[in-house]
Amino acid sequence: MATQTTASCTGSTLLQPISEIINLPLDQVNFVACQLFALLMAVWFRIYLHPSKTSPFIRHVVATLLGSYLALFCFGWYSLHFLVQSGLSYSVMVFSGLENMHKYCFIVTLGYLILCQITRVYVFDYGMYSADFTGPMMVITQKITSMAFEIHDGELRLTKRDAQLNPNQKYLAIRRMPSLLEYLSYNCNFMGILAGPTCSYNDYKAFIEGTGFQPRHQENANGKENGKCKQNEPSPKNAVISKLSTCAISLFVYLSLCKLLPVERAIDDDFVSSTPFYLQVIYLYLAMLALRPKYYFVWTFADAINNAAGFGFSGYDVDGSPQWDMISNLRIMDIEFATSFKSFLDNWNIQTSLWLKRVCYERCPVNPTAATFLLSAMWHGVYPGYYLTFVTGIAMTMAARAVRHNIRPHFLVSDSHKCVYDIITWACTQIAISYTVVPFVLLAVGSSLKFYRSWYFCLHLLCILVVLVLPVKSRRRQTKEQQDGLQQDGLQQDGLQPVGLQQDGQVAHSSTDNNCNQKEKAS
């Protein structure tokens, strides 16, 4: 066991004795230890390198150096890939024209990530589902590509060609090319180098410069116009304690249940042949329920680290309490009680959903839903199970949209009818999600197809039937019709057209843009 654990880790072996004692792979032990160290450094960073005491240059340098150290400790020489990917992409940004820079940068960054994923999976250790060097590269890919598109949008704003941009794109637009230090700090800072989450460059820059606690209008995209914040800075203590408590509970639940409810049992021949189908459905739901706390732990811990450093403040709620969810990656209760496929996805891996929306869904001229799911599969990796999951997700999304548009209105006549609808759709959503993500967990195409065959591809066939029978307008067509209606209403009400346009920018995806919009509305 010890020999295998050491062989599968390219990082430091300092914690090898602890790994052997608790019987966990060394790379996972290194990951947790580095996140604990990052949490302590985050508190130190907020107190002793506060923007009121330290220049942005020093904060950038320290954040980058600490991030580089954590990467080296966890991944050894493989962490050089982070610098190579970042360096190649920055060269593209500097030396290519602004008109197509974002496209070239997207191809280079995603291409390098996929190349590394291919070598890791098919050359070195196929099937190793553990901490690996391509995980941080996935977050760096999000940051680099987001920055490239935001620089392109900033160029459109500077040249007065921003009519095609929606309000959020205008808010996120970068008007000045970041320096190499700012770029590396954004990509490789110690708060997000290991587990993210991704964030916009403007928000990170405001955090470094100390302007992130004041309300900023969309037009103030460079974070400098309003100067230093004059109001009292809210403390993240309560938010950090709450999130660390969530981490502890999630880790306990995961370690207690993951071995009792393995997903692999769902394709075991004896289990399938001896278990009634309805019990197989219940078991699959419970197995996925036991698996999710692993992600709750990792993402919530990463969020707590950022909050401890003073990053992630999104404003105040109606009671005046500070909210620290600007870069949160999930909403656990909304996930577990989601009543639609879209609602589940909107609250799961939120920052990745926003990234997919901003670089693909909003910009793809043809079939943006399919393109977004395909990009998500390519970004996640090269295991066949990923592609089976996201292809299935396309069918699930289209079917769920058709059901919601055609069936839901009939249940809104009373509260009791809506309650019945919510219970039914909750159960259907949980079954659909569990069915969809089985290949994501099993990874291999053979075992994934074996599972789908044991279910007779029933949900695939049901989705196809629903899509063929129930008519539904594309989301883009609905948005256009809503925009036309808002514009007509605005023209009839003495110049309210800009308000209509502002609303339209939030109609189709208001749930996924809450983090960005809260930043604009904070008071």
Side-chain angles (χ1 to χ4, degrees), residues 71-221:
L72 283 170
F73 189 91
C74 273
F75 307 108
W77 70 268
Y78 277 107
S79 58
L80 292 177
H81 286 293
F82 308 164
L83 293 179
V84 173
Q85 183 187 37
S86 299
L88 287 174
S89 301
Y90 193 74
S91 300
V92 172
M93 292 182 185
V94 172
F95 295 110
S96 62
L98 286 174
E99 192 67 30
N100 295 306
M101 174 269 292
H102 57 302
K103 299 177 184 177
Y104 299 150
C105 195
F106 180 86
I107 293 172
V108 170
T109 306
L110 186 63
Y112 191 83
L113 171 66
I114 293 174
L115 178 63
C116 289
Q117 289 171 332
I118 290 174
T119 58
R120 188 190 73 80
V121 171
Y122 294 109
V123 177
F124 295 112
D125 49 20
Y126 184 93
M128 175 184 168
Y129 200 69
S130 183
D132 68 89
F133 73 97
T134 60
M137 289 183 67
M138 294 167 68
V139 179
I140 293 174
T141 297
Q142 290 180 333
K143 291 183 176 181
I144 292 174
T145 53
S146 296
M147 176 183 283
F149 278 92
E150 289 161 9
I151 292 175
H152 173 73
D153 294 343
E155 191 267 342
L156 293 180
R157 298 213 69 188
L158 290 174
T159 56
K160 307 300 182 183
R161 293 180 294 159
D162 59 351
Q164 58 187 293
L165 302 180
N166 64 38
N168 288 316
Q169 290 170 342
K170 292 179 181 179
Y171 167 75
L172 296 170
I174 300 172
R175 300 188 183 186
R176 177 184 65 82
M177 180 68 185
S179 68
L180 180 59
L181 175 61
E182 292 171 330
Y183 173 80
L184 291 176
S185 174
Y186 172 59
N187 289 328
C188 302
N189 65 79
F190 73 97
M191 302 172 296
I193 183 66
L194 298 183
T198 190
C199 61
S200 75
Y201 173 75
N202 282 339
D203 287 332
Y204 179 75
K205 185 167 179 283
F207 155 71
I208 290 292
E209 295 179 350
T211 60
F213 295 103
Q214 63 191 51
R216 292 183 294 149
H217 188 263
Q218 292 176 4
E219 297 296 328
N220 187 13

Side-chain angles (χ1 to χ4, degrees), residues 385-435:
Y386 293 161
Y387 289 84
L388 286 174
T389 285
F390 289 106
V391 169
T392 303
I394 297 174
M396 291 289 181
T397 299
M398 295 175 64
R401 187 181 299 168
V403 169
R404 183 174 181 84
H405 288 182
N406 290 274
I407 305 299
R408 185 172 183 268
H410 299 290
F411 286 85
L412 299 180
V413 294
S414 68
D415 292 340
S416 59
H417 284 68
K418 186 178 184 303
C419 182
V420 171
Y421 175 84
D422 288 342
I423 293 174
I424 295 174
T425 52
W426 170 82
C428 292
T429 297
Q430 298 302 323
I431 295 172
I433 288 291
S434 301
Y435 178 91

Side-chain angles (χ1 to χ4, degrees), residues 257-267 271 275-290 434 455:
L257 298 180
C258 65
K259 293 183 179 180
L260 295 177
L261 298 167
V263 177
E264 290 75 13
R265 186 178 298 168
I267 60 172
F271 176 80
T275 307
F277 183 71
Y278 75 93
L279 290 181
Q280 294 183 43
V281 173
I282 294 175
Y283 178 83
L284 182 63
Y285 165 70
L286 293 176
M288 291 302 175
L289 185 66
S434 301
W455 281 51

Side-chain angles (χ1 to χ4, degrees), residues 461-472:
L461 298 176
L462 181 61
C463 287
I464 294 174
L465 180 63
V466 168
V467 171
L468 292 176
V469 172
L470 299 179
V472 62

